[in-house]
Amino acid sequence: MNKRFTKPFFTTKFYPITSALMFALVAPNMVMANDYGNLISVTSNSMQQKVSGTVTSSTGPLSGVTIFVKEKPTLATSTDANGRYSLQVEVGQTLIFSAIGFNKTEKLVEGAFLNVQLQESNQALEEVVVVGYGTQKKESLTGALQVVKGDQLRGTTSPNVENMLNGKAAGVYVAPGSGQPGAKGGVVIRGQATLGGTTSPLWVVDGVILGSSAGDLNPDDIATLTILKDAASTAIYGSQGANGVVVVTTKNPSASGTSINFSTKIGFNQLTNGNMKMMNGAELYDYYASFANQSAIKFPRWNADLRDSNFDWWKVATQHGFTQNHNISIQSGTEKLQSYLSLGYYNELGAVKGYEYDRYNFRMNTVYKPTTWLTVKPTLVGARRGVEDRQYSTTAMYSNFPWDNPYDADGNLVGHRSSSWVNNATTNYLYDLQWNHSANTNYEFSGNMDFDIKFTNWLTFSSVNNYRYNTYSAAGYTDPRSNGGESVKGRLTDYRSEYARRYTSQILKFNKSWGKHAVNALAAYEFNDYWDKTLDVYGTGFIPGFEVLNVVSKPERTKGAITEWAMQSMLSNVNYAYDGKYLGQLSFRRDGASNFGDNAKYGNFFSVSGGWNMNRESWFNASWVDNLKLRASYGSVGNRPSELYPQYSLYSVSSSSGYNENSGALIYRIGNKNLTWERTFTTGVGFDAAMFNNRARVSFDYYDKKTDNILYNVPISGLTGVTSVYKNIGKMQNRGVELTLGGDIVRKNDLTWSLDINIGHNKNKLTELIKSKDASGNYVVRPLIIGDGLGIAGSASRVLEPGLPVDTYYMPIWAGVNVETGAPEWYKVETDQNGNQTQVKTSKYAEATLQKAGKASPDLFGGFNTSITYKQFDLNASFGYSIGGKIYNYSRQEYDSDGTYTDRNQMKLQDGWSRWEKPGDIATHPIAKYNNNDKGNSTSTRYLEDSDFLRLRSLTLGYNLKLQQYHLKNVRVFFTGENLFTITNYSGVDPEMSVNDSGAVLGSAGPAIYPATRKFMFGLNVTF
């Protein structure tokens, strides 16, 4: 029969359009759409037939298995939720069945039915890993990276994925921030590689570069998270990969039946006060009574009755907070259209009263395949985050006297500077909280229109196109009757900001194998720009109760700004493998950024790496080794300054630069047209091994990161009105090792016990510093003294000096207590005529010598996780640890002050501490005096403590119910305890480093500490 007479009346070249129309008309019944496509295939070739069957494994049907025709790879399908499939083929053709974690299987088509059982493979070899701008099989990787699956993150209850990374990957240090709801942690990968910019890694979500934060990403939407560490992994991101890269892949739909997943967590949280305990009324009275100059105490209420005045400021400000986290997702799909929809809600009432955080999330991921050569992947993501803030004072929880009661005898709040208070110079913040409050709201929306065009089975064009919009608003109300509003008759504040970020990358991908050769390559163009606008308005003078700026009698301040920047890049990457044994990779990227002048607008970055799968050699006879790979890499990444236009000399036109109500301009910045890219060159070697059928696993890496042209905002004389200028000031080195060990200690049918340990060690050193003129006009290297980031006068300083870590503390060295007098002592350095230096004790703080005094970063850090599964029960524990770092406990300067501060409470002496009382006493603490001026609480190593700790981050007990008879695929109930205990000698609230608002890790703890919280959560996961 002539085939042209068997075609339908419409032409086949319009099939993609008519198919789409048919799909829209018969969407409720997807089988009709499939059958229609089959009709065309059958009538166009009488030699074809439909083959169908079921794909199973040893545990049952397999969904999502890819099946394609070997002779014509563009003919493909996948199994549904019950493992069923059907496909039009010719008799005698071969079907290839493949799925992650299973051996690829080929079957000859001999009839209309073909059932296949797949055999499990060594998943460590078959696992596909998401890397820069693509995916690779784990066995073909040449770079150092670590994959954390979404389920491994969710043992910790947090709205921020940064905090969930804590202890999950070797070489990744996470400072968890505070226990305040919604607080973000700070992430540092392989040490601090810059001074003047962010130390946070680059976050990439579904191929879109977000920047140094994950934003309002819902952790429940995460499928996998890949941490890229070395040059082979990060160089493809060029100037944005200097601090490492975190690549996030969200959950995507598959061609299977409808699946609905619901998860919920509900529980309470409470504050953990660490080792710092404050004195009650009796203890504080006894402390004052022990002062050597007790006769100097003159305040009116000084008598023994104070022992019975014991108001608990901690108790009045704290509560059992409440946390809830609910998520629902729906995924469904056919071969042509797959969709994933998720909705999430997170709410937390703070354990410090008066603070509530909530967040709503939604995500819609869609994959549409109108033809075999085109895949369209639209995505829509949104989040709303809100805070209501009437928070009780965390400072008052520690500092307010237990002798001072905020309520009078009738239970009414006393006013400010109450005569009934011992500290009658301060305010009663509870009085202000009757009226004062603030709130902020953030909306974030992101949309993608991505598509892939498959030219051949080895050449694909991928386009990623994203638009992200964020709007933030904050408002504050300070009542005219409150302490802060009295002098201005009330204050209203209104802050608004919005930003938009556009991102596009156009990628040509090549993936082909022939004989023993395999090449995976890409070339791409990328563009990224950013725009934001802010408005900041204050108004004063209004009638109590009104909260709109229209009612104020005086505009106090009006500020606003617009910021813009842009980047464009060209990049390429080639991976080559010979016989699966010898691996090579080359990458190159050229970035152009608006942060530099014309002489340094573009920077070039590269990497070269190689790998050797030794176990694939014919002479390798160790059958108990599943895989053994050696890796080596070298390459460069870069960094830009945090300032937008440091290359230009700028003037500031603002209200502060005007005169007599006339506008004016003042010099704002001295430009540096020679400013250039900060570059980090990394050398790395490592190996990966799996043994005994993947029962034992080990991964080891050594790296040497050298950063040159360090960008820093260098302080200069303020004679011109400018106090700093951006310069490239020197060189830095980070050198370290990472070790990951894992194993299944017990692996039986009903019982599995696994243990995974990760260890990170990093040694940082400033190797070179820019020279500056001394008094004689000679160019010399002079150390730079900088702050610790706490922003409090009198806190610790740090020193930038070649040969030292960049987080080295710089302060007088504490020498203890004078045995005879009880006076505090420090060391001063004396130099004799021969230049020999000796350390001499002195009780005069002004004579003490500033010296180098340890570093903030730890020597060893990481975590270990263990999991036990017995039948339907599972028990999981996650620990974190840190060894060898220092933390400056500034809070002790105020709360352990030997009587210097008489307007605030004091902390109890801890085990091993003692107070000097008489000559001959060997004590840790000097003599205590009222209004002590011995300077014993001044900045020194007295308050520099070890930050070593071991913490049980989470402990989860779960049970899986078998309820398939009720059409429930999985039901799991569990109970989780988080932050259950911490073993540490640190005398403060929390030995883990805090972070500032921009995510920078701090090495000091201030007085207004929001402690970490302990959570107890009940959870339920249901899939049907």
Side-chain angles (χ1 to χ4, degrees), residues 756-768:
D756 292 278
I757 303 171
N758 68 77
I759 302 169
H761 165 71
N762 182 79
K763 185 176 181 179
N764 174 278
K765 181 172 66 174
L766 189 67
T767 57
E768 189 175 304

Side-chain angles (χ1 to χ4, degrees), residues 792-851:
I792 298 177
S795 185
S797 294
R798 295 184 183 176
V799 59
L800 299 179
E801 181 178 331
L804 298 177
V806 296
D807 57 354
T808 298
Y809 290 103
Y810 191 63
M811 63 186 69
I813 305 297
W814 177 250
V817 179
N818 188 296
V819 176
E820 298 302 321
T821 65
E825 292 184 320
W826 304 267
Y827 285 108
K828 67 176 180 178
V829 178
E830 293 185 345
T831 305
D832 63 21
Q833 295 178 350
N834 299 321
N836 298 316
Q837 293 184 337
T838 56
Q839 300 268 11
V840 179
K841 293 182 180 181
T842 178
S843 290
K844 295 181 179 180
Y845 184 76
E847 295 179 352
T849 304
L850 294 170
Q851 301 184 60

Side-chain angles (χ1 to χ4, degrees), residues 740-800:
T740 301
L741 300 170
D744 299 331
I745 301 172
V746 178
R747 186 196 285 179
K748 296 182 177 180
N749 291 335
D750 292 335
L751 177 64
T752 301
W753 176 23
S754 63
L755 177 67
D756 292 278
I757 303 171
N758 68 77
I759 302 169
H761 165 71
N762 182 79
K763 185 176 181 179
N764 174 278
K765 181 172 66 174
L766 189 67
T767 57
E768 189 175 304
L769 196 60
I770 191 172
K771 293 181 179 181
S772 58
K773 271 186 182 180
D774 63 9
S776 303
N778 299 316
Y779 281 91
V780 297
V781 174
R782 292 189 295 184
L784 291 176
I785 309 303
I786 61 175
D788 63 352
L790 199 60
I792 298 177
S795 185
S797 294
R798 295 184 183 176
V799 59
L800 299 179

Side-chain angles (χ1 to χ4, degrees), residues 353-428:
K353 294 177 182 176
Y355 194 93
E356 181 176 6
Y357 172 98
D358 63 9
R359 192 176 76 186
Y360 300 85
N361 289 85
F362 77 85
R363 173 176 290 272
M364 181 72 177
N365 292 351
T366 304
V367 178
Y368 176 47
K369 300 177 180 178
T371 70
T372 57
W373 54 268
L374 177 63
T375 302
V376 184
K377 297 178 286 187
T379 299
L380 186 62
V381 184
R384 179 209 181 267
R385 166 170 39 93
V387 169
E388 294 289 337
D389 187 2
R390 288 180 181 263
Q391 184 173 286
Y392 283 50
S393 171
T394 52
T395 302
M397 288 162 49
Y398 300 100
S399 64
N400 279 19
F401 281 144
W403 301 329
D404 296 335
N405 195 316
Y407 302 97
D408 61 21
D410 298 323
N412 300 313
L413 288 168
V414 301
H416 303 307
R417 293 163 288 279
S418 171
S419 60
S420 65
W421 280 23
V422 171
N423 184 14
N424 55 19
T426 193
T427 61
N428 178 10

Side-chain angles (χ1 to χ4, degrees), residues 8 55 207 219 283 458 493 828:
V55 181
E283 291 165 336
W458 50 266
T493 65
K828 67 176 180 178

Side-chain angles (χ1 to χ4, degrees), residues 893-951:
Q893 285 190 230
E894 298 195 8
Y895 305 139
D896 187 19
S897 66
D898 313 321
T900 302
Y901 294 119
T902 59
D903 60 349
R904 63 205 72 178
N905 198 2
Q906 298 292 290
M907 60 188 291
K908 300 178 184 179
L909 295 184
Q910 301 193 0
D911 291 343
W913 292 3
S914 59
R915 175 79 62 186
W916 189 94
E917 296 177 352
K918 63 184 184 302
D921 284 351
I922 299 175
T924 58
H925 283 52
I927 185 172
K929 304 175 186 176
Y930 191 72
N931 281 325
N932 197 336
N933 61 5
D934 289 345
K935 301 291 185 180
N937 74 320
S938 298
T939 307
S940 76
T941 57
R942 175 185 180 184
Y943 302 126
L944 188 63
E945 304 184 38
D946 293 336
S947 60
D948 302 350
F949 70 86
L950 172 65
R951 170 167 283 170

